[in-house]
Amino acid sequence: MCGIVGYIGHEPAAPVLLDGLRRLEYRGYDSAGVAVPGAEAIEIVRAVGKLRNLETALAARPLSGTVGIGHTRWATHGRPSEVNAHPHVSGPIAVVHNGIIENHGALRKELIERGVTISSDTDTELVAHLVHEAVRQGRNLEAAVRAALGRLHGAYALAVLSHDEPRRIVVAKNASPLVLGLGTDRGDGPDAVYCASDIPALLPYTRQMLFLEDGEMAVLSDEGATITTVAGEPVTRAPQRIDWSPIMAEKAGFKHFMLKEIFEQPRAMEDTLRGRLDRTRGEVVGAEIGLEGSDVSRVARVVLLACGTSHHAAIAGRYWLEELTGLPAVVELASEFRGRRPVIGDGDLVVAVSQSGETLDTLVAAKEAKARGARVLSIANVIGSALPRMSDAVFYTRAGPEIGVASTKAFTTQLAALVMLAIWLGRQRGHLTEARAAALVEGLARLPNQMQEVLHGTRQLIANLARRQVEARDVLFLGRGLSFPIALEGALKLKEVSYVHAEGYAAGEMKHGPIALIDPHVPVLVLLPKDENYERSLSNLEEAKAREAIVIAIATEGDDAARDASETLIEVPAVDPELTPFLTVLPLQLYAYYVADFKGTDVDQPRNLAKTVTVE
Ligand code: M6R
């Protein structure tokens, strides 16, 4: 997992590259570097650790020039070190890379046998040598990159510079994201051309963006971007305007992106719902879901595929799909689905859920399902990412850029997409009554305000609670039914950002083992909304209390039984029982955030984690 950036323009390249890398730091942050074509040779500056170390190195050794490439790394081959940091250089060639070259072992052996000296442990350096060899054989940069690509198996987004062609960058993509940006048109070409792993890196500079597809490459120059397939066929693609404002990618006054994104959820929810609910008719607007016009009567089963937080959203999706459509629905961890010989095919609707749309396991699982004849609907946040591109239908969540590694607003907007899908499908199949659909549509429309109320109403209470529990070593989250995936999500959030051991359990499973964990030092957060599971969940809360756990209930306003039974009561407004997850997850996100903040962890970039997992 890494972030790459490239620039050709008329401004000094290094500050533009650094700025882009800063916006990509969520993709990896164990080392970083930049390269520019200097007067005599390619010049590089690299540094281990966070980007500020690269800034310091550049201050000590400034790079001049108006063309360059940069990289922020999350190690896959070779430990974090300066020699393993990108860019990697071979003669006049410099390369930055995101992805994994699977045949690196064979290539390394082959290059060594040809007498090439390899300095790093990375797969990327091998690419630099392959391009350099092709240049030495008389090819120009574009042809040399094309020749090298023919030798690579695996995932890559590459940007390649040559000292011999100093106003060109050649980029290529396969299974790793890459976006191109075009500056203002000056008649004879744009005033600048950019490339990056993700949209936010380019937002301050341009809104005109082009998305490369797998198996494509492009030559960036002062004339613009010329796209071809790796085989050399020309590709014509118009730029898309991306309306995300740069400010949407900033912290907007919050201490961390995670907190900002938690508080953005009411707005994100509004965006997700906008134009998709017809409140007059009490319907979900089918044209927005991506399935309208398709023969949904052929759908015999829904298979949800996802990883991490998106997997928790998918579990909630399964409840909704079964309840509201009457269809059988199963949820699969994408990483596990891939490892089997899944029985799937025509008649199955695969719903692949992914914030980034680039999670490799989800992408590969969805491709496998498609190859076996299933129809794939993706629920994704990042426009133009790989998963939507390979899908038969797409439903974008519109959460906006999510920078914090811990997913928050992406989760609640995924929930919204899934429940809208279930409502629409339920009506199409005649399983859901008009009146019930209309009630759910009304309930959804009210959520943004209710989410706002919960966030502002519980923030201080939860911050105080987190301060008291900052030393807790184990925390349990319990829930039944739709609250079960919320318990899983609460535990994942806490683990990720605070490094506290946490478990999410189906409350009914407690007595089958986990109850042994409970002692007076263990906080137990019980999800207790007023739904059909309420009484049984209350009993589970009592069981925890009887074992002297520190019990925190997340319950419906005015629930006196929950108040009496818990040490701390966190209240959320009463909503339709199908919609409780949208509100009950918010206190758990805040809890994870504040425990982490009081502990002083790196909330937005927790250790060992990367935002998008594009490796296996
Ligand atoms: O981009 P995706 O939704 O496919 O990502 C899936 C997981 O990697 C992601 O949800 C991860 O678990 C987050 N760090 C959770 O906060």
Side-chain angles (χ1 to χ4, degrees):
M1 177 87 49
C2 303
I4 70 171
V5 62
Y7 171 75
I8 297 184
H10 303 284
E11 304 294 325
V16 178
L17 297 173
L18 261 180
D19 186 47
L21 292 178
R22 206 169 290 121
R23 291 163 207 281
L24 292 176
E25 216 181 355
Y26 70 91
R27 298 181 64 86
Y29 30 81
D30 63 42
S31 56
V34 294
V36 300
E40 306 293 328
I42 288 284
E43 292 179 12
I44 58 168
V45 174
R46 302 184 290 189
V48 178
K50 293 214 169 184
L51 211 53
R52 56 179 171 267
N53 298 349
L54 178 64
E55 274 176 71
T56 309
L58 276 166
R61 211 185 125 217
L63 292 179
S64 57
T66 55
V67 176
I69 55 178
H71 189 271
T72 180
R73 179 168 187 253
W74 185 71
T76 54
H77 289 79
R79 65 186 177 84
S81 66
E82 191 171 326
V83 78
N84 284 336
H86 300 214
H88 288 283
V89 173
S90 177
I93 303 298
V95 177
V96 290
H97 166 221
N98 168 37
I100 289 181
I101 306 302
E102 287 167 12
N103 57 333
H104 65 97
L107 290 173
R108 178 176 288 268
K109 186 163 173 279
E110 184 189 312
L111 284 162
I112 290 170
E113 279 167 8
R114 286 205 292 271
V116 175
T117 306
I118 299 171
S119 342
S120 75
D121 304 321
T122 66
D123 47 354
T124 307
E125 186 189 342
L126 312 177
V127 181
H129 292 305
L130 289 174
V131 176
H132 184 198
E133 282 189 340
V135 164
R136 276 206 308 260
Q137 288 158 4
R139 293 179 175 90
N140 66 18
L141 180 63
E142 179 183 356
V145 172
R146 186 166 276 127
L149 293 177
R151 304 296 324 283
L152 307 183
H153 302 158
Y156 52 78
L158 289 163
V160 187
L161 264 186
S162 169
H163 182 259
D164 300 337
E165 297 179 47
R167 293 206 67 83
R168 272 182 208 284
I169 299 173
V170 177
V171 298
K173 171 185 163 21
N174 190 49
S176 294
L178 192 62
V179 55
L180 310 182
L182 302 177
T184 310
D185 193 356
R186 292 187 156 175
D188 56 349
D191 64 355
V193 186
Y194 310 82
C195 67
S197 296
D198 200 357
I199 294 168
L202 306 185
L203 280 175
Y205 304 99
T206 180
R207 307 286 180 82
Q208 296 299 321
M209 302 202 191
L210 284 158
F211 299 93
L212 280 200
E213 298 286 346
D214 287 347
E216 289 179 352
M217 55 189 286
V219 179
L220 316 186
S221 69
D222 292 314
E223 286 78 51
T226 309
I227 305 177
T228 57
T229 63
V230 172
E233 291 142 17
V235 173
T236 309
R237 185 165 303 136
Q240 290 181 40
R241 186 178 164 78
I242 301 297
D243 283 326
W244 292 1
S245 66
I247 200 75
M248 286 170 77
E250 300 291 344
K251 283 188 213 163
F254 288 93
K255 187 172 176 190
H256 293 100
F257 281 113
M258 181 180 176
L259 190 61
K260 166 183 167 274
E261 288 160 3
I262 288 173
F263 276 87
E264 271 175 5
Q265 288 177 104
R267 190 216 34 84
M269 183 62 57
E270 263 171 24
D271 287 348
T272 306
L273 300 177
R274 185 165 294 123
R276 291 164 167 176
L277 300 180
D278 182 339
R279 293 177 76 179
T280 317
R281 300 164 70 101
E283 287 174 359
V284 168
V285 179
E288 288 287 322
I289 304 247
L291 288 178
E292 202 177 56
S294 63
D295 183 5
V296 291
S297 65
R298 279 179 40 225
V299 177
R301 181 175 73 143
V302 182
V303 178
L304 295 125
L305 297 176
C307 299
T309 285
S310 299
H311 176 249
H312 300 155
I315 297 174
R318 178 185 62 197
Y319 283 84
W320 286 319
L321 284 158
E322 286 180 342
E323 173 76 19
L324 306 178
T325 73
L327 281 167
V330 292
V331 189
E332 298 269 8
L333 281 167
S335 52
E336 288 297 312
F337 180 87
R338 291 182 60 187
R340 308 202 311 265
R341 283 182 187 72
V343 180
I344 192 160
D346 192 27
D348 285 320
L349 173 66
V350 165
V351 179
V353 188
S354 172
Q355 186 285 129
S356 61
E358 297 285 349
T359 298
L360 189 69
D361 284 327
T362 309
L363 192 57
V364 174
K367 281 182 180 168
E368 189 167 327
K370 192 172 178 182
R372 288 168 188 253
R375 202 154 14 135
V376 177
L377 166 69
S378 57
I379 293 181
N381 187 38
V382 178
I383 301 165
S385 53
L387 185 64
R389 288 204 306 271
M390 61 70 59
S391 299
D392 300 300
V394 186
F395 191 7
Y396 282 118
T397 52
R398 301 185 187 152
E402 191 178 63
I403 306 297
V405 165
S407 196
T408 52
K409 62 179 180 167
F411 178 68
T412 40
T413 54
Q414 286 168 344
L415 293 179
L418 285 159
V419 76
M420 282 192 277
L421 170 66
I423 295 169
W424 180 77
L425 215 46
R427 286 297 296 138
Q428 295 297 301
R429 290 173 44 80
H431 184 83
L432 187 65
T433 65
E434 222 176 296
R436 185 77 187 103
L440 287 168
V441 164
E442 270 314 296
L444 277 169
R446 281 197 293 271
L447 281 176
N449 285 341
Q450 290 167 324
M451 292 170 84
Q452 186 86 333
E453 202 183 310
V454 173
L455 289 170
H456 290 278
T458 64
R459 179 180 184 170
Q460 196 53 55
L461 173 71
I462 293 170
N464 296 343
L465 176 71
R467 193 191 296 274
R468 292 200 300 278
Q469 296 183 348
V470 75
E471 297 303 332
R473 289 219 321 256
D474 304 286
V475 180
L476 294 179
F477 294 78
L478 306 181
R480 282 174 184 263
L482 271 168
S483 293
F484 169 51
I486 303 308
L488 294 175
E489 179 58 9
L492 177 62
K493 283 290 86 80
L494 187 65
K495 280 186 267 205
E496 279 187 294
V497 297
S498 73
Y499 318 146
V500 172
H501 172 245
E503 297 288 349
Y505 274 105
E509 275 295 296
M510 275 305 284
K511 54 189 166 301
H512 299 291
I515 200 161
L517 292 171
I518 292 183
D519 69 26
H521 306 290
V522 177
V524 179
L525 287 88
V526 184
L527 293 148
L528 199 58
K530 281 275 168 60
D531 60 15
E532 61 183 355
N533 294 302
Y534 173 79
E535 296 295 342
R536 280 174 294 163
S537 298
L538 187 59
S539 299
N540 298 131
L541 183 153
E542 295 285 2
E543 284 160 15
K545 191 181 167 194
R547 279 139 189 101
E548 298 182 20
I550 308 162
V551 174
I552 299 111
I554 295 96
T556 309
E557 271 167 0
D559 184 340
D560 292 333
R563 182 182 304 282
D564 293 345
S566 55
E567 181 188 270
T568 303
L569 173 68
I570 299 166
E571 293 177 289
V572 299
V575 286
D576 189 296
E578 296 293 339
L579 304 181
T580 59
F582 291 92
L583 302 187
T584 54
V585 74
L586 305 177
L588 305 191
Q589 295 171 341
L590 286 171
Y591 179 78
Y593 171 77
Y594 280 112
V595 172
D597 191 33
F598 290 132
K599 280 186 163 306
T601 63
D602 194 346
V603 172
D604 285 330
Q605 295 178 342
R607 67 186 183 202
N608 305 334
L609 294 182
K611 180 71 182 159
T612 307
V613 183
T614 51
V615 294
E616 296 182 74

